[in-house]
Amino acid sequence: MYGTRFNPQKTDASDAAPMEELWQDNRDRALHEEGLVVDIAGFEGPLDLLLHLARTQKVDLSRISVLALVEQYLAFIERARQIRIELAADYLVMAAWLAYLKSRLLIPQQPKDEGPSGEEMAATLAFRLKRLEAMRDAATRLVNRNRLGRDFFARGAPEHIPTERRSAFDASLYDLLSAYASLRQRHAITQVTIEKRNVWSLADAREILHRLMGEVEDWTALDHFLLRYLTEPSERRTAMASAFAATLEMVREGQLELRQDGVFQPIFLRRGAQAQRGGQPDGQGDDDHV
Amino acid sequence: MSEIDGPQDVVQADEGAAVVDPRRLHEAARIAEALVFASAGPVPEAYIADRLPAGVDVGHVMRQLKALYAGRGVNLVQVGDHWAFRTAPDLSFVVRSDEGEVRKLSRAALEVLSIIAYHQPVTRAEIEDIRGVQTSKGTLDVLLEAGWVRFRGRRRTPGRPVTFGTTKDFLDHFGLEELRDLPGLEELKGAGLLSGRIPSNFQIPLPLGEDELSEDEDPITQMDLEELGLLTPGGKEDE
Amino acid sequence: MSEIDGPQDVVQADEGAAVVDPRRLHEAARIAEALVFASAGPVPEAYIADRLPAGVDVGHVMRQLKALYAGRGVNLVQVGDHWAFRTAPDLSFVVRSDEGEVRKLSRAALEVLSIIAYHQPVTRAEIEDIRGVQTSKGTLDVLLEAGWVRFRGRRRTPGRPVTFGTTKDFLDHFGLEELRDLPGLEELKGAGLLSGRIPSNFQIPLPLGEDELSEDEDPITQMDLEELGLLTPGGKEDE
C-alpha cells in the first residue's frame, strides 16, 4: 500500500503544453513496500503524509475510509520508529490524535459524552485533507498559467513611468520593512558580540591562570589573582565562575592546589606538584603564550 | 482594405456611452494608447482619465481599445484597475525576453502563494492551519520580495494578527484581470473549501507556537474582499 | 464601425506584393508587432524576417503595419533597417509630463523613514542612536520633501529637541490604514524579515498614533519651526 510514488505535479496536465519544472525542491517522496526506506523528509508535515496515504486509497477524498487511513498512518509511524527514524513532534502529535480518533470511531459514543463524535472528527480530517489537496491543485493551475516574462511580455523599451503619486519618491512597504528589520538585526547582533566578550570562557580562564602560575609560590587568594582583570565590575561574576571552574580542572591535572577554609571564605590556590616539576599539560595548554 | 486584416470588425459601439464628438473620442483613444503603450507596468485607469479630454468616459475608451487590439500581436489587458499592453500569449514561441528567467518558486512558496491568493485576507496562522505545517522562514519573505504578496492589514481578533493578500503585480504576472479570475475559484467556493470553516469545532493541534501577538486591540477597518465572497460572512475567522 | 476610428482606412494594399494567404499575412503581422513591442531596442528587419512564416515578405508586412499605426497614439517607425514603436510625436507631451520624477529612496532614507515610523515620536539624536551613524540633513530633508515625514512636536527635555513622525501621505503610500498596521516583531520574524538569531530582549516599539502627543511632548508651533530654521521654503535638498 505504500507502493506508488506521489508526484502531484505530474498527475494531471502532464501532457499539456510545455510543463515547467514546477518545484525547485523536487524531492523524492518515496515510500517502499519493503518498509526499509521510510523517507519522512519528503513530506511537509503530518497532513501532507496523510494526504499522500489517502491518495493511495485511490478514491474521492470525501469517500476515503478514515479508519483505514488512521491505521495506515499509525503503521507508518510505527515502522519509522522501528527503524529509528527521528520523527518531528508534529508527526507524533498527529499519531496521538489519530489514535484517539480511532478509539472514538470504534467505541460507540456514550450519551453523556462531551466533545465531538468520532464521525465529526473524521469529517474534520477529511475536510482538511480535501482543502489541502484543493490548494495543491490550485497552485498547479496557477503556476501553469501564461506568465509575464515567460509567455507574454511587456513593452521592452518603455518610454515613461506613469505615477499618480504626488510623491517624487518610490519605495514599497517591503523595502521599508526589510530596511528596518535588517538595520535592527545588524545592531542586535553587534550587541550580542559585545556581550560575548564580557563572558570568560573556560579556555580564557585557563590561559590566564597558566600565565599567572609562575608568579605564585605560596597560597594566594583567587580574587587576588584576578584583580587586574576585574576592573570592569560587570565582568567580575563571569571571571570568578570561569576561573574557579578552570582551577578545578587544573587541580585534577595536578597543576594547582586549592584550599578554602570555610563556606564563603576566600579560595586560595598555589602551584601543584606537576607544575613545580615543570610539566605542561597536553591538550588545552596550546595557546598560553600570547 | 488591408490584407493585414485589421481589428475594426470586432469593435462595436458601446451602449449607453455618452454621445461625444468622434474626433474627440479618437483623440482620447490615441492618448490612452500612448500612455499605456509607453509604460512597461500597468497604468492606473484614473491616471489615464486625468489626461483625457474633458467629458470622455475612460471606461468606454478602454473597452473600445481593448476590442481593437483583441486579435493582434499585442493585446490591451486589464490588471485590476490598471491597464497594460502585453504580447499575445500564443506568440510566446517566437518572442523571447532577454531578461533572465521567470522566478522559480519552491513547492512550499507556491502553495503559500495559492493559499494567500484564494483565502485573502489570511493570517499566517491560517496558512499554517491549511498546510498543517509551520511556514519556514524565508517562504513568505520570497513572496513579499517578489512583490506578489503584501501585508494587507490586521485581523480584528485578539492579537490582531497581520493579514496577507496578493498585489497588482501578482495579477499582472499570472495574467489575471482580477481575483475573480483565479482558476477554479467558484468551484472551490461552492465546495466550501474557502470558507475557512471546519465542519466541527475540533482542530488537529499544531504543537509548535503559532503567531501570537499581545499588542493592543484597537479595531481596524478591514479592507474588504467581502464583495468577492472570500471572507466568511460574519467574520468567524478563528475557526 | 468603431467610434474610435480604427486605422483601417489608411491602410492600402501594397503594390507588387506577392499574393499570400491573408491569414498567413495576418499572423506574420502579429508576430512582427509582438517582436518589436517586446524588444528593448529597435529590431533589425532581418531578425523579424527570420521569424515570419515562410513565403511572407517582411518589407511588405512592415509597411502595412506602419500604415496601420500611422494615425494612432503609437507609431511604428523605421530607424535605418531597424523597427521600433514610438509614441506619436504630437502626444509626447502626455507621456513626458512627469518623466524622471520618480526616484528610488536611498538605503539611508529608507532606514531613517522606518525608524521614524516605528519609533515615533523620535528625535534626530534617537534616530542616530538606533542607526549607529550620523544622519545627514539631506536625508531628513528628502523625507520631509516626499511628504512622508513631519515635525510632530518638541520633547520636554533639555534643548527641547524636535520630534519626528510620519504623515497621512506616508500611510497612503505604503498602503497602511493606520500606524498600528505595521507588522510587529513576531510578524517580521514570521515573514522571514528578521532571523531567529536575535536577543530575547529585542523589541520593536508600537508606534504612537499620528495625533497623539506623548506625555513629554509639546505640540510644535509655527514659531518653533521658524526659530529652528527648519522652515526652508523650497526644501533645498542636498542629496
Side-chain angles (χ1 to χ4, degrees), chain B residues 18-222:
Chain B
V19 182
V20 185
D21 174 16
R23 264 173 310 177
R24 191 109 141 257
L25 208 52
H26 177 60
E27 201 49 27
R30 290 184 75 230
I31 292 174
E33 205 171 22
L35 283 173
V36 180
F37 215 95
S39 164
V43 181
E45 191 169 289
Y47 179 88
I48 301 168
D50 279 352
R51 282 150 186 83
L52 295 188
V56 176
D57 174 32
V58 63
H60 176 62
V61 169
M62 299 316 290
R63 278 191 300 277
Q64 290 233 331
L65 268 180
K66 184 177 172 181
L68 186 73
Y69 278 91
R72 305 220 49 88
V74 174
N75 305 145
L76 182 62
V77 298
Q78 192 163 7
V79 184
D81 55 357
H82 290 54
W83 292 90
F85 276 109
R86 298 286 179 250
T87 61
D90 66 309
L91 298 177
S92 63
F93 70 96
V94 60
V95 188
R96 281 272 161 265
S97 138
D98 325 326
E99 293 165 32
E101 286 269 289
V102 171
R103 184 184 289 266
K104 276 213 176 162
L105 287 182
S106 71
R107 192 178 120 86
L110 186 57
E111 238 172 71
V112 170
L113 177 62
S114 305
I115 291 169
I116 292 174
Y118 285 81
H119 290 259
Q120 61 188 298
V122 64
T123 67
R124 194 161 80 104
E126 288 161 353
I127 296 169
E128 295 182 345
D129 183 55
I130 292 170
R131 299 187 64 225
V133 64
Q134 286 238 313
T135 308
S136 68
K137 312 274 179 227
T139 303
L140 273 165
D141 189 21
V142 164
L143 298 173
L144 287 162
E145 198 191 346
W148 292 340
V149 160
R150 66 192 169 97
F151 294 100
R152 278 184 64 118
R154 286 183 183 270
R155 180 65 54 76
R156 235 178 295 139
T157 52
R160 302 177 70 247
V162 159
T163 55
F164 294 94
T166 54
T167 63
K168 168 171 61 66
D169 284 354
F170 166 80
L171 294 178
D172 193 19
H173 183 89
F174 290 99
L176 298 160
E177 263 191 29
E178 48 180 351
L179 287 175
R180 255 182 257 262
D181 294 341
L182 282 169
L185 183 69
E186 285 306 316
E187 303 138 58
L188 290 173
K189 228 172 17 174
L193 289 168
L194 300 184
S195 73
R197 196 174 289 164
I198 282 186
S200 90
N201 58 352
F202 210 96
Q203 209 182 335
I204 298 168
L206 263 181
L208 302 166
E210 294 175 34
D211 276 347
E212 255 167 42
L213 280 175
S214 51
E215 299 182 355
D216 67 325
E217 299 176 16
D218 274 16
I220 67 153
T221 8
Q222 202 159 293

Side-chain angles (χ1 to χ4, degrees), chain A residues 23 29 44 97 116 124 128 131 136 139 145-148 151-155 159-160 163-164 174 177, chain B residues 37-38 46-47 86-87 89 92 95 97 102 107 110-111 114 129 131 141 151 173-175 198 200 202:
Chain A
W23 330 106
R29 353 173 83 220
E44 291 203 41
W97 187 82
T124 299
R128 292 193 52 166
R131 186 173 62 176
R136 292 263 161 88
R145 286 184 63 83
N146 288 326
R147 289 168 68 181
L148 180 64
D151 306 298
F152 60 92
F153 300 88
R155 176 82 188 267
E159 294 169 63
H160 84 143
T163 174
E164 266 186 311
Y174 177 77
L177 297 177
Chain B
F37 215 95
Y47 179 88
R86 298 286 179 250
T87 61
S92 63
V95 188
S97 138
V102 171
R107 192 178 120 86
L110 186 57
E111 238 172 71
S114 305
D129 183 55
R131 299 187 64 225
D141 189 21
F151 294 100
H173 183 89
F174 290 99
I198 282 186
S200 90
F202 210 96

Side-chain angles (χ1 to χ4, degrees), chain A residues 205-220 225 243 245-259 268-289:
Chain A
R206 225 194 123 101
E207 184 195 323
I208 286 162
L209 288 172
H210 261 297
R211 251 188 290 153
L212 292 176
M213 283 222 295
E215 303 172 20
V216 202
E217 284 302 326
D218 208 345
W219 291 110
T220 314
F225 255 118
T247 57
L248 291 180
E249 203 183 342
M250 290 167 78
V251 166
R252 188 177 55 79
E253 289 166 5
Q255 301 195 47
L256 273 182
E257 284 179 39
L258 215 52
R259 171 168 73 83
F268 290 91
L269 42 92
R270 71 174 180 196
R271 269 194 294 184
Q274 276 289 338
Q276 269 156 356
R277 265 184 267 126
Q280 283 286 323
D282 28 17
Q284 293 181 305
D286 44 2
D287 54 354
D288 46 356
H289 301 292

